[in-house]
Amino acid sequence: MRSFITARRLIDGKGGVMTGQPVVEIDGARIVALHENAPEGAELRDFGDATILPGLIDTHVHLNMPGNGMLLEEVMREGVEVMLATSVGSALQALGAGITTVRDVGCFGTTAFSVRRALALGYATGARVMAAGAPITITGGHTWYMGGECDGEEALRHKVRALIKDGAEFIKVMGSGGGTLNTASWRPAFTQDEMDAIVSESHRNERRVTVHCLCAESIDIAVRAGVDQIEHAGFIRRNAPQHYDAAVAERLAKSGIPVTTTLAVGATAINAMQQIEGRSPEQDAFLARWQRMLAENVEQFTRLSEAGVTFVAGTDAGWRFTSFDSLVLELQMMEQGGMAVSDCIAAATGRAAGVIGLEDRGILAPGLLADLIVVKGNPLEDLAALHDLDLILQGGVDHLPTPRAQRAAQAMTVPG
Ligand SMILES: [Zn+2]
């Protein structure tokens, strides 16, 4: 069945904007054509003063976690069945926010593979899932509870193969400590030889590698190993404020390796704390710490951008207070850091898809998946327009008002 979606403007996800009466022609799950004007005889679904754009992509999420303030340690205590159910809810929340694809960069065991499978079978509704499984981490390293502990070059090569056997579409590595107990964010985790082994084995098996880096030295190790992407790119030091390292930034920029922002983590933590009336001294301290860290992170984002580093949008949804509808906030933080609005949108559509290796989506073009959204108004004037969704199309299937309500209505149709 062919359908024709039209609105006042269209953002194609690769830098192009069409105005007037652009029309997207869809046949089944795919886009078959983009028209500058309505084709003769086409029955238009006209959204008026609205914008058509590709379904959004969040390149950094953790489906296992609810994003309601829970620590990973607390989530793990609930057990794997609860984490699986949580993941389905997370994927649905993302879809409801116009995010048609998420990339899970760290789950317990193989849970994200199972969710990906159930969604692909149509047994559940949610954002399409790309998954790495458990992140590879040193013994006792960041997120070791997820099951990705491994040390030594031989063992790491085996680990990469085992992850791929289980269903990893890419490899996630914890290149430094992070926000889990007793891990050191200011210290690189793997040696250069170990990181080299992970990367060469992954590439031999046609898998991209992305590395969580919260300190300067971990960025250098990742860059030298030739990884495909870096998450966060922080400059944390031991018992000291972050310190931007221009020489490291220059090497990173020169490498061309893109970075995922994850500014929403701080923005959502601050929001959550500010909503509490009568905060405890601990909550006040938590708020002050995140206000300082977010300011540092935005400043580093600005300086890295100016140095020539490319960014894609990722929220770290699931982590602490980061809900699965935080991507617009992420883009707004990127704008605050000096990125042009059109570039922010590219970072969550076409550029995101390119960096993570999904060539069938992220832009509006013939032959690609009919994953698109329509929002009221013009997000190029105000990114907040991305909240005002008029249509969420995933593989040509309409997911508004809510997926559940729509399913229920179909189920209640009296046969015959
Ligand atoms: Zn993360």
Side-chain angles (χ1 to χ4, degrees), residues 71-339:
L71 291 164
L72 175 59
E73 288 80 358
E74 294 168 315
V75 175
M76 298 290 301
R77 221 173 289 140
E78 297 292 338
V80 64
E81 294 86 354
V82 172
M83 283 191 277
L84 261 174
T86 304
S87 302
V88 176
S90 302
L92 180 59
Q93 192 190 12
L95 181 63
I99 300 160
T100 48
T101 296
V102 294
R103 186 177 70 157
D104 189 284
V105 292
C107 68
F108 176 78
T110 55
T111 49
F113 303 148
S114 304
V115 175
R116 179 182 69 197
R117 177 68 179 152
L119 288 163
L121 289 167
Y123 298 167
T125 301
R128 300 178 195 273
V129 173
M130 184 185 199
I136 301 180
T137 192
I138 58 169
T139 294
H142 185 37
T143 74
W144 66 265
Y145 335 99
M146 287 176 164
E149 276 180 323
C150 192
D151 313 274
E153 294 162 56
E154 274 309 299
L156 285 164
R157 285 184 187 278
H158 177 258
K159 186 74 179 173
V160 167
R161 293 176 190 177
L163 282 164
I164 294 169
K165 177 187 173 193
D166 285 342
E169 293 163 285
F170 65 100
I171 302 297
K172 169 74 183 296
V173 186
M174 294 308 191
S176 70
T180 50
L181 290 176
N182 303 322
T183 70
S185 303
W186 55 87
R187 195 163 54 219
F190 290 104
T191 65
Q192 187 69 57
D193 285 342
E194 286 175 319
M195 191 64 79
D196 291 348
I198 295 169
V199 173
S200 73
E201 194 59 36
S202 301
H203 286 175
R204 234 165 53 76
N205 289 283
E206 294 164 9
R207 294 301 191 283
R208 296 183 190 196
V209 182
T210 190
V211 187
H212 157 110
C213 294
L214 287 182
C215 63
E217 204 181 335
S218 64
I219 296 174
D220 262 340
I221 288 173
V223 168
R224 279 196 293 266
V227 306
D228 302 283
Q229 194 179 348
I230 286 175
E231 308 295 314
H232 319 299
F235 293 89
I236 292 177
R237 293 182 301 165
R238 186 174 202 154
N239 300 324
Q242 293 199 64
H243 179 75
Y244 179 80
D245 187 324
V248 173
E250 197 179 314
R251 290 193 282 276
L252 174 57
K254 213 169 142 196
S255 73
I257 296 168
V259 173
T260 310
T261 47
T262 69
L263 297 167
V265 180
T268 52
I270 291 166
N271 275 322
M273 289 303 111
Q274 284 174 337
Q275 276 159 24
I276 299 171
E277 280 178 44
R279 279 185 297 279
S280 67
E282 290 76 28
Q283 288 168 328
D284 271 330
F286 183 81
L287 173 60
R289 189 166 69 90
W290 269 111
Q291 283 171 327
R292 174 179 58 77
M293 292 215 316
L294 182 63
E296 286 171 3
N297 290 341
V298 172
E299 193 200 324
Q300 281 164 189
F301 166 77
T302 304
R303 296 186 71 176
L304 286 168
S305 301
E306 284 166 4
V309 173
T310 308
F311 282 90
V312 293
T315 59
D316 224 340
W319 198 262
R320 293 314 304 268
F321 294 93
T322 321
S323 54
F324 284 80
D325 54 4
S326 302
L327 188 57
V328 178
L329 181 59
E330 181 71 36
L331 301 185
Q332 289 171 318
M333 294 309 303
M334 293 165 86
E335 185 192 11
Q336 194 187 102
M339 188 178 264

